[in-house]
Amino acid sequence: MCGRIVQKSGPMDYVERLFPNLRRIFADSAGPRYNIPPGTRPLTMHRFAGDFELERLHWGWRPHNSKYFMSSARLDKILAGAWPWKMLTARGRILVPADCWYEWKPLADGPKPPKQPYYIHATDNAPLFFAALSNWRPGADKDEAHGFALVTNDSLGGMIDVHDRRPVALPADLAIHWVDPEFPTAQALALLEHGLPETAFTWHPVRKEVGNSKYQLADAIDPI
């Protein structure tokens, strides 16, 4: 996964997919974002304090005294209990709602070939809920020390012709359990193997300007 997502829907469009009768209003003044890279603060969903919340958290995590800045977390490493993900699986489970993500496909061989960006979304255009792990702390700065990484897995089937890894998107009924702090850790990790299959997605090429994360126009997602 190269690391760009789109959040063009309103906060309630995401929330109501999980909790149709929550009877709470969530607002966000940032408006739609068509090109969100790591190092920024996208909308996230969590239950760290018990109640369900929307909060903008830092995309990317640098563990204490580590030189590594990590925007994604490999599923095989998580399931193996490898450093540093084991310390987050019990207490740091969050969701990142999105409408799609982008991947780049090389157009030629060589060390630095030109690349074509692709817009990947659910075939029914429903919102996606990406599993993620965060080092959130109450009252802490929303910085990379307390950021998050998206869980990624191998791309099987047809999607491998665009990219060999993809974010783990959980169906709504499983996404609710992923963020439940009372849900046992072992069972939560097992959910990650039941993300949406490749057949749930479709994709098309988009304009190359998407390669610049400052490009935020709505036509970023239009097919070319």
Side-chain angles (χ1 to χ4, degrees):
M1 178 192 176
C2 71
R4 298 281 182 85
I5 64 173
V6 173
Q7 291 182 332
K8 65 182 180 66
S9 297
M12 292 305 298
D13 295 320
Y14 300 129
V15 173
E16 289 177 347
R17 283 278 176 167
L18 298 183
F19 302 100
N21 299 307
L22 191 59
R23 299 184 186 278
R24 288 178 59 191
I25 301 296
F26 294 87
D28 186 86
S29 60
R33 303 288 290 173
Y34 290 91
N35 201 348
I36 303 173
T40 61
R41 290 169 54 188
L43 279 176
T44 67
M45 299 171 160
H46 65 76
R47 288 187 55 190
F48 290 139
D51 291 336
F52 176 82
E53 298 292 345
L54 280 182
E55 184 176 14
R56 290 190 172 274
L57 299 180
H58 190 275
W59 183 3
W61 177 45
R62 191 186 306 276
H64 182 64
N65 289 331
S66 174
K67 65 180 181 180
Y68 298 108
F69 176 82
M70 295 171 284
S71 61
S72 62
R74 286 179 48 167
L75 177 58
D76 57 333
K77 300 294 185 182
I78 294 170
L79 296 181
W83 181 93
W85 310 116
K86 186 175 182 179
M87 68 181 76
L88 302 184
T89 54
R91 59 169 176 78
R93 302 192 302 266
I94 70 170
L95 293 169
V96 180
D99 298 277
C100 87
W101 77 98
Y102 297 109
E103 298 289 4
W104 276 256
K105 179 181 178 180
L107 296 177
D109 296 328
K112 291 185 178 181
K115 295 182 178 181
Q116 173 63 55
Y118 282 79
Y119 172 85
I120 305 173
H121 61 99
T123 54
D124 61 359
N125 289 312
L128 301 171
F129 300 97
F130 297 144
L133 292 170
S134 172
N135 192 41
W136 183 94
R137 289 289 189 277
D141 293 336
K142 304 299 188 298
D143 56 13
E144 63 183 32
H146 306 95
F148 71 85
L150 290 178
V151 179
T152 62
N153 194 14
D154 291 334
S155 289
L156 304 176
M159 193 176 291
I160 200 168
D161 65 6
V162 177
H163 202 270
D164 60 356
R165 300 197 68 78
R166 61 183 173 87
V168 173
L170 294 175
D173 59 334
L174 301 186
I176 293 173
H177 294 309
W178 174 252
V179 293
D180 182 352
E182 301 300 322
F183 198 69
T185 301
Q187 294 181 43
L189 293 179
L191 297 178
L192 297 176
E193 298 188 88
H194 298 280
L196 295 176
E198 287 74 16
T199 54
F201 303 103
T202 188
W203 51 89
H204 58 254
V206 293
R207 62 186 65 246
K208 293 183 179 179
E209 288 88 343
V210 171
N212 185 337
S213 62
K214 295 181 180 179
Y215 193 84
Q216 292 289 344
L217 298 181
D219 64 5
I221 66 175
D222 291 345
I224 58 169

Coordinates of all heavy atoms in Angstrom, one line a residue, residues 45-114:
M45 N -11.9 6.5 14.0 CA -12.9 6.1 14.9 C -12.3 5.2 16.0 O -11.5 4.4 15.7 CB -14.0 5.3 14.2 CG -14.7 6.0 13.1 SD -15.7 4.8 12.1 CE -16.8 6.0 11.3
H46 N -12.7 5.5 17.3 CA -12.1 4.6 18.4 C -13.1 4.7 19.6 O -14.0 5.4 19.6 CB -10.7 5.1 18.8 CG -10.7 6.5 19.4 ND1 -11.1 6.8 20.7 CD2 -10.2 7.7 18.9 CE1 -10.9 8.1 20.9 NE2 -10.4 8.6 19.8
R47 N -12.8 3.8 20.5 CA -13.5 3.7 21.8 C -12.5 3.7 23.0 O -12.7 3.0 23.9 CB -14.4 2.5 21.8 CG -15.6 2.6 20.9 CD -16.5 1.4 21.1 NE -16.9 1.3 22.5 CZ -17.6 0.2 23.0 NH1 -17.9 -0.8 22.2 NH2 -17.9 0.2 24.3
F48 N -11.4 4.5 22.9 CA -10.4 4.5 23.9 C -10.9 4.9 25.3 O -10.5 4.4 26.3 CB -9.3 5.4 23.5 CG -8.5 4.9 22.3 CD1 -8.0 5.7 21.3 CD2 -8.1 3.6 22.2 CE1 -7.3 5.3 20.3 CE2 -7.4 3.1 21.2 CZ -7.0 3.9 20.2
A49 N -11.9 5.8 25.3 CA -12.4 6.3 26.6 C -13.8 5.6 26.9 O -14.5 6.1 27.8 CB -12.6 7.8 26.5
G50 N -14.1 4.6 26.1 CA -15.4 3.9 26.4 C -16.4 4.2 25.3 O -16.9 3.3 24.6
D51 N -16.8 5.5 25.2 CA -17.8 5.8 24.2 C -17.2 5.9 22.8 O -16.0 6.1 22.6 CB -18.4 7.2 24.5 CG -19.3 7.2 25.7 OD1 -19.8 6.1 26.1 OD2 -19.4 8.2 26.4
F52 N -18.0 5.7 21.8 CA -17.5 5.8 20.4 C -17.2 7.2 20.1 O -18.0 8.1 20.4 CB -18.6 5.2 19.5 CG -18.3 5.4 18.0 CD1 -17.5 4.5 17.4 CD2 -18.8 6.4 17.3 CE1 -17.2 4.6 16.0 CE2 -18.5 6.6 15.9 CZ -17.7 5.7 15.3
E53 N -16.1 7.5 19.5 CA -15.7 8.9 19.1 C -15.1 8.9 17.7 O -14.5 8.0 17.2 CB -14.6 9.4 20.1 CG -15.1 9.5 21.6 CD -16.2 10.5 21.8 OE1 -16.3 11.4 20.9 OE2 -16.8 10.5 22.8
L54 N -15.2 10.1 17.1 CA -14.5 10.5 15.9 C -13.4 11.4 16.4 O -13.6 12.4 17.1 CB -15.4 11.2 14.9 CG -16.3 10.3 14.0 CD1 -17.0 11.3 13.1 CD2 -15.5 9.3 13.2
E55 N -12.2 11.2 15.9 CA -11.1 12.1 16.3 C -10.0 12.1 15.2 O -9.8 11.0 14.6 CB -10.4 11.6 17.6 CG -9.4 12.5 18.1 CD -8.8 12.1 19.5 OE1 -9.1 11.0 19.9 OE2 -8.1 12.9 20.1
R56 N -9.4 13.2 14.9 CA -8.3 13.3 14.0 C -7.0 12.9 14.7 O -6.5 13.6 15.6 CB -8.2 14.7 13.3 CG -9.4 15.0 12.4 CD -9.3 16.2 11.6 NE -10.4 16.3 10.7 CZ -10.4 15.8 9.4 NH1 -9.3 15.1 9.1 NH2 -11.4 15.9 8.6
L57 N -6.4 11.8 14.2 CA -5.1 11.3 14.8 C -4.1 11.4 13.7 O -4.3 11.3 12.5 CB -5.3 9.9 15.3 CG -6.3 9.7 16.4 CD1 -6.4 8.3 16.9 CD2 -6.0 10.6 17.6
H58 N -2.8 11.4 14.1 CA -1.7 11.5 13.2 C -1.5 10.1 12.5 O -1.3 9.1 13.2 CB -0.4 11.8 14.1 CG 0.8 12.2 13.2 ND1 1.6 11.2 12.7 CD2 1.2 13.4 12.8 CE1 2.6 11.8 12.0 NE2 2.4 13.1 12.0
W59 N -1.4 10.2 11.2 CA -1.2 9.0 10.4 C 0.3 8.8 10.3 O 1.0 9.5 9.6 CB -1.8 9.1 9.0 CG -1.7 7.9 8.2 CD1 -1.1 6.7 8.5 CD2 -2.1 7.7 6.8 NE1 -1.1 5.8 7.5 CE2 -1.7 6.4 6.4 CE3 -2.7 8.6 5.9 CZ2 -2.0 5.9 5.1 CZ3 -3.0 8.1 4.6 CH2 -2.6 6.8 4.3
G60 N 0.8 7.7 11.0 CA 2.2 7.4 11.1 C 2.6 7.4 12.5 O 2.2 8.2 13.3
W61 N 3.4 6.4 12.9 CA 3.8 6.2 14.2 C 5.3 5.9 14.3 O 5.8 5.1 13.5 CB 3.1 5.0 14.9 CG 3.5 4.7 16.3 CD1 3.7 5.5 17.3 CD2 3.8 3.4 16.8 NE1 4.1 4.9 18.4 CE2 4.1 3.5 18.2 CE3 3.7 2.1 16.3 CZ2 4.4 2.4 19.0 CZ3 4.0 1.0 17.1 CH2 4.4 1.2 18.4
R62 N 6.0 6.7 15.2 CA 7.4 6.4 15.4 C 7.5 6.0 16.9 O 7.4 6.8 17.8 CB 8.2 7.7 15.2 CG 9.7 7.4 15.2 CD 10.5 8.7 15.1 NE 10.1 9.5 13.9 CZ 10.6 9.3 12.7 NH1 11.5 8.3 12.4 NH2 10.2 10.1 11.7
P63 N 7.8 4.7 17.2 CA 7.9 4.3 18.5 C 9.1 5.0 19.3 O 10.0 5.5 18.6 CB 8.3 2.8 18.4 CG 7.7 2.4 17.1 CD 7.9 3.6 16.2
H64 N 9.0 5.1 20.6 CA 10.0 5.8 21.4 C 11.4 5.3 21.1 O 11.6 4.1 21.1 CB 9.6 5.6 22.9 CG 10.6 6.3 23.8 ND1 10.6 7.7 23.8 CD2 11.5 5.8 24.7 CE1 11.5 8.0 24.7 NE2 12.0 6.9 25.3
N65 N 12.3 6.2 20.8 CA 13.7 6.0 20.5 C 13.9 5.1 19.3 O 14.9 4.5 19.1 CB 14.3 5.3 21.7 CG 14.5 6.2 22.9 OD1 14.7 7.4 22.7 ND2 14.5 5.6 24.1
S66 N 12.9 5.1 18.4 CA 13.1 4.4 17.1 C 13.4 5.3 16.0 O 12.8 6.5 15.9 CB 11.8 3.6 16.8 OG 11.9 3.0 15.6
K67 N 14.1 4.9 15.0 CA 14.4 5.7 13.8 C 13.3 5.5 12.7 O 13.3 6.1 11.7 CB 15.7 5.4 13.2 CG 15.9 3.9 12.7 CD 17.3 3.7 12.1 CE 17.4 2.3 11.6 NZ 18.8 2.0 11.1
Y68 N 12.4 4.5 13.0 CA 11.4 4.1 12.0 C 10.1 4.8 12.1 O 9.5 4.9 13.2 CB 11.2 2.6 12.1 CG 12.4 1.8 11.8 CD1 13.0 1.1 12.8 CD2 12.9 1.7 10.5 CE1 14.2 0.3 12.6 CE2 14.1 0.9 10.2 CZ 14.7 0.2 11.3 OH 15.8 -0.5 11.1
F69 N 9.7 5.4 11.0 CA 8.3 6.0 11.0 C 7.5 5.1 10.2 O 7.8 4.8 9.0 CB 8.4 7.4 10.3 CG 7.1 8.1 10.1 CD1 6.5 8.8 11.1 CD2 6.4 8.0 8.9 CE1 5.3 9.4 11.0 CE2 5.2 8.6 8.7 CZ 4.6 9.3 9.8
M70 N 6.4 4.6 10.8 CA 5.6 3.5 10.1 C 4.2 4.0 9.9 O 3.5 4.3 10.8 CB 5.6 2.3 11.0 CG 7.0 1.7 11.2 SD 7.2 0.4 12.4 CE 7.2 1.4 13.9
S71 N 3.8 4.0 8.6 CA 2.4 4.4 8.3 C 1.6 3.2 8.0 O 0.3 3.3 7.9 CB 2.4 5.3 7.0 OG 3.0 4.6 5.9
S72 N 2.2 2.0 7.9 CA 1.4 0.8 7.7 C 2.0 -0.3 8.6 O 3.2 -0.3 9.0 CB 1.4 0.3 6.3 OG 2.7 0.1 5.8
A73 N 1.2 -1.3 8.9 CA 1.6 -2.5 9.7 C 1.2 -3.8 9.0 O 0.0 -4.0 8.7 CB 0.9 -2.4 11.1
R74 N 2.2 -4.6 8.7 CA 1.9 -5.8 8.0 C 1.1 -6.8 8.8 O 1.5 -7.1 10.0 CB 3.2 -6.4 7.5 CG 3.9 -5.7 6.3 CD 5.2 -6.3 5.9 NE 5.1 -7.8 5.8 CZ 6.0 -8.5 5.2 NH1 7.1 -7.9 4.7 NH2 5.9 -9.8 5.1
L75 N 0.1 -7.4 8.2 CA -0.7 -8.3 8.9 C 0.0 -9.5 9.5 O -0.2 -10.0 10.6 CB -1.9 -8.8 8.0 CG -2.8 -9.8 8.6 CD1 -3.5 -9.3 9.9 CD2 -3.9 -10.3 7.6
D76 N 1.0 -10.1 8.7 CA 1.7 -11.2 9.1 C 2.5 -10.9 10.3 O 2.7 -11.8 11.2 CB 2.5 -11.8 8.0 CG 3.5 -10.8 7.4 OD1 3.3 -9.6 7.5 OD2 4.6 -11.2 6.9
K77 N 3.1 -9.7 10.4 CA 3.9 -9.3 11.6 C 3.0 -9.1 12.8 O 3.3 -9.5 13.9 CB 4.6 -8.0 11.3 CG 5.6 -8.0 10.1 CD 6.7 -9.0 10.4 CE 7.8 -8.9 9.3 NZ 8.9 -9.8 9.5
I78 N 1.8 -8.6 12.6 CA 0.8 -8.4 13.7 C 0.4 -9.8 14.3 O 0.5 -10.0 15.5 CB -0.4 -7.6 13.3 CG1 0.0 -6.2 12.9 CG2 -1.5 -7.6 14.3 CD1 -1.1 -5.4 12.2
L79 N 0.1 -10.7 13.4 CA -0.4 -12.0 13.9 C 0.7 -12.8 14.5 O 0.4 -13.7 15.4 CB -1.0 -12.8 12.7 CG -2.2 -12.2 12.0 CD1 -2.7 -13.0 10.9 CD2 -3.4 -11.9 13.1
A80 N 1.9 -12.5 14.2 CA 3.1 -13.2 14.8 C 3.5 -12.6 16.1 O 4.4 -13.1 16.8 CB 4.3 -13.2 13.8
G81 N 2.8 -11.5 16.5 CA 3.2 -10.8 17.8 C 4.5 -10.1 17.7 O 5.2 -9.9 18.7
A82 N 4.9 -9.7 16.5 CA 6.2 -9.1 16.3 C 6.2 -7.6 16.9 O 5.2 -7.0 17.0 CB 6.6 -9.1 14.9
W83 N 7.5 -7.2 17.2 CA 7.7 -5.8 17.6 C 7.4 -4.9 16.4 O 7.8 -5.3 15.3 CB 9.1 -5.6 18.1 CG 9.4 -4.2 18.5 CD1 9.3 -3.7 19.8 CD2 9.8 -3.1 17.7 NE1 9.6 -2.3 19.8 CE2 9.9 -1.9 18.5 CE3 10.1 -2.9 16.3 CZ2 10.3 -0.7 18.1 CZ3 10.5 -1.7 15.9 CH2 10.6 -0.6 16.7
P84 N 6.8 -3.7 16.6 CA 6.3 -3.2 17.8 C 4.8 -3.3 18.0 O 4.2 -2.7 18.9 CB 6.6 -1.7 17.7 CG 6.4 -1.4 16.2 CD 6.8 -2.7 15.5
W85 N 4.2 -4.1 17.1 CA 2.7 -4.1 17.1 C 2.1 -4.8 18.3 O 0.9 -4.5 18.6 CB 2.3 -4.8 15.8 CG 3.0 -4.2 14.6 CD1 3.8 -4.8 13.8 CD2 2.9 -2.8 14.2 NE1 4.3 -3.9 12.8 CE2 3.8 -2.7 13.1 CE3 2.2 -1.7 14.7 CZ2 4.0 -1.4 12.4 CZ3 2.4 -0.5 14.0 CH2 3.3 -0.4 12.9
K86 N 2.7 -5.8 18.9 CA 2.1 -6.5 20.0 C 1.7 -5.6 21.1 O 0.7 -5.8 21.8 CB 3.1 -7.6 20.5 CG 2.5 -8.5 21.6 CD 3.5 -9.6 22.0 CE 2.9 -10.5 23.0 NZ 3.8 -11.6 23.4
M87 N 2.4 -4.5 21.3 CA 2.1 -3.6 22.4 C 0.8 -2.8 22.1 O 0.3 -2.2 23.0 CB 3.3 -2.7 22.7 CG 3.6 -1.7 21.6 SD 5.0 -0.6 22.1 CE 6.3 -1.7 21.8
L88 N 0.4 -2.8 20.9 CA -0.8 -2.0 20.5 C -2.1 -2.8 20.3 O -3.1 -2.2 20.3 CB -0.5 -1.2 19.2 CG 0.7 -0.2 19.3 CD1 0.7 0.6 17.9 CD2 0.6 0.7 20.4
T89 N -1.9 -4.1 20.1 CA -3.1 -4.9 19.7 C -4.2 -4.9 20.8 O -5.4 -5.0 20.5 CB -2.7 -6.3 19.3 OG1 -1.9 -6.9 20.4 CG2 -1.9 -6.3 18.0
A90 N -3.8 -4.8 22.0 CA -4.8 -4.9 23.1 C -5.5 -3.6 23.4 O -6.7 -3.5 23.7 CB -4.2 -5.5 24.4
R91 N -4.7 -2.5 23.2 CA -5.2 -1.2 23.7 C -5.3 -0.1 22.6 O -5.7 1.0 22.8 CB -4.4 -0.7 24.8 CG -2.9 -0.5 24.4 CD -2.1 0.3 25.4 NE -0.7 0.4 25.1 CZ -0.2 1.2 24.1 NH1 -1.0 2.0 23.5 NH2 1.1 1.2 23.9
G92 N -4.9 -0.4 21.4 CA -4.7 0.6 20.4 C -5.5 0.4 19.1 O -5.2 0.9 18.0
R93 N -6.6 -0.4 19.1 CA -7.3 -0.7 17.9 C -8.3 0.4 17.5 O -9.1 0.9 18.3 CB -8.1 -2.0 18.1 CG -7.2 -3.2 18.5 CD -8.0 -4.5 18.4 NE -9.2 -4.6 19.2 CZ -9.2 -5.1 20.4 NH1 -8.1 -5.5 21.0 NH2 -10.4 -5.1 21.0
I94 N -8.1 0.9 16.3 CA -8.9 2.0 15.8 C -9.4 1.7 14.3 O -8.9 0.7 13.7 CB -8.2 3.4 15.8 CG1 -7.1 3.4 14.7 CG2 -7.7 3.7 17.1 CD1 -6.5 4.8 14.4
L95 N -10.3 2.4 13.8 CA -10.7 2.4 12.4 C -10.4 3.7 11.7 O -10.5 4.7 12.4 CB -12.2 2.1 12.3 CG -12.7 0.7 12.8 CD1 -14.3 0.7 12.9 CD2 -12.3 -0.4 11.9
V96 N -10.1 3.6 10.5 CA -9.9 4.8 9.6 C -11.0 4.7 8.5 O -10.9 3.8 7.6 CB -8.5 4.9 9.1 CG1 -8.4 6.1 8.2 CG2 -7.5 4.9 10.2
P97 N -12.1 5.5 8.6 CA -13.1 5.4 7.5 C -12.5 6.1 6.3 O -11.8 7.1 6.3 CB -14.2 6.2 8.1 CG -13.6 7.2 9.0 CD -12.4 6.5 9.6
A98 N -13.0 5.6 5.1 CA -12.5 6.2 3.9 C -13.5 5.8 2.8 O -14.3 4.9 2.9 CB -11.1 5.7 3.5
D99 N -13.4 6.5 1.7 CA -14.1 6.2 0.5 C -13.3 5.4 -0.5 O -13.9 4.7 -1.4 CB -14.7 7.5 -0.2 CG -15.6 8.2 0.8 OD1 -16.8 7.9 0.9 OD2 -15.1 9.1 1.5
C100 N -12.0 5.5 -0.4 CA -11.1 4.7 -1.3 C -9.7 4.9 -0.9 O -9.4 5.6 0.1 CB -11.3 5.3 -2.8 SG -10.2 6.6 -3.2
W101 N -8.8 4.2 -1.6 CA -7.4 4.5 -1.5 C -6.8 4.5 -2.9 O -7.4 4.1 -3.9 CB -6.7 3.5 -0.6 CG -6.4 2.2 -1.1 CD1 -5.2 1.7 -1.6 CD2 -7.3 1.0 -1.1 NE1 -5.3 0.4 -1.9 CE2 -6.5 -0.1 -1.7 CE3 -8.6 0.8 -0.8 CZ2 -7.1 -1.3 -1.9 CZ3 -9.1 -0.5 -1.0 CH2 -8.4 -1.5 -1.5
Y102 N -5.6 5.1 -3.0 CA -4.8 5.1 -4.2 C -3.7 4.1 -4.2 O -3.0 3.9 -3.2 CB -4.3 6.5 -4.5 CG -5.3 7.6 -4.6 CD1 -5.4 8.6 -3.6 CD2 -6.1 7.7 -5.8 CE1 -6.4 9.6 -3.8 CE2 -7.0 8.8 -5.9 CZ -7.1 9.7 -4.9 OH -8.0 10.7 -5.1
E103 N -3.4 3.6 -5.4 CA -2.1 2.8 -5.6 C -1.5 3.3 -6.9 O -2.2 3.8 -7.8 CB -2.4 1.3 -5.6 CG -3.0 0.7 -4.4 CD -2.0 0.6 -3.2 OE1 -0.9 1.2 -3.3 OE2 -2.4 0.1 -2.2
W104 N -0.2 3.1 -7.0 CA 0.6 3.5 -8.2 C 1.2 2.3 -8.8 O 1.8 1.5 -8.2 CB 1.7 4.5 -7.8 CG 1.2 5.9 -7.7 CD1 1.4 6.9 -8.6 CD2 0.4 6.5 -6.6 NE1 0.8 8.1 -8.2 CE2 0.2 7.9 -7.0 CE3 -0.1 6.0 -5.4 CZ2 -0.5 8.7 -6.2 CZ3 -0.8 6.9 -4.6 CH2 -1.0 8.2 -5.0
K105 N 1.0 2.2 -10.1 CA 1.5 1.0 -10.9 C 2.6 1.5 -11.8 O 2.4 2.4 -12.6 CB 0.4 0.4 -11.7 CG 0.8 -0.8 -12.6 CD -0.4 -1.3 -13.4 CE 0.1 -2.5 -14.2 NZ -1.1 -3.0 -15.0
P106 N 3.8 0.9 -11.7 CA 4.9 1.3 -12.7 C 4.4 1.1 -14.1 O 3.8 0.0 -14.4 CB 6.0 0.4 -12.3 CG 5.7 0.0 -10.8 CD 4.2 -0.1 -10.8
L107 N 4.8 2.0 -15.0 CA 4.5 1.9 -16.4 C 5.6 1.3 -17.2 O 5.4 1.0 -18.4 CB 4.1 3.2 -17.0 CG 2.8 3.9 -16.3 CD1 2.6 5.2 -16.9 CD2 1.6 3.0 -16.6
A108 N 6.8 1.1 -16.6 CA 7.9 0.5 -17.3 C 8.9 -0.1 -16.3 O 8.7 0.1 -15.1 CB 8.6 1.6 -18.1
D109 N 9.9 -0.8 -16.8 CA 10.9 -1.4 -15.9 C 12.0 -0.3 -15.7 O 12.0 0.7 -16.4 CB 11.5 -2.6 -16.6 CG 10.6 -3.7 -16.7 OD1 9.7 -3.8 -15.9 OD2 10.7 -4.5 -17.7
G110 N 12.8 -0.5 -14.7 CA 13.8 0.4 -14.4 C 13.8 0.9 -13.0 O 12.8 0.7 -12.2
P111 N 14.8 1.6 -12.5 CA 14.9 2.0 -11.1 C 13.9 3.1 -10.7 O 13.4 3.1 -9.6 CB 16.3 2.6 -11.0 CG 16.7 2.9 -12.4 CD 16.0 1.9 -13.2
K112 N 13.5 4.0 -11.6 CA 12.6 5.0 -11.3 C 11.6 5.2 -12.5 O 11.6 6.2 -13.2 CB 13.3 6.4 -11.0 CG 14.0 6.4 -9.7 CD 14.6 7.7 -9.4 CE 15.3 7.8 -8.1 NZ 15.9 9.1 -7.8
P113 N 10.7 4.2 -12.8 CA 9.8 4.3 -13.9 C 8.7 5.2 -13.6 O 8.3 5.5 -12.4 CB 9.3 2.9 -14.0 CG 9.4 2.3 -12.6 CD 10.6 2.9 -12.0
P114 N 8.0 5.8 -14.6 CA 6.8 6.6 -14.4 C 5.7 5.7 -13.9 O 5.7 4.5 -14.1 CB 6.5 7.1 -15.8 CG 7.1 6.2 -16.7 CD 8.4 5.7 -16.1

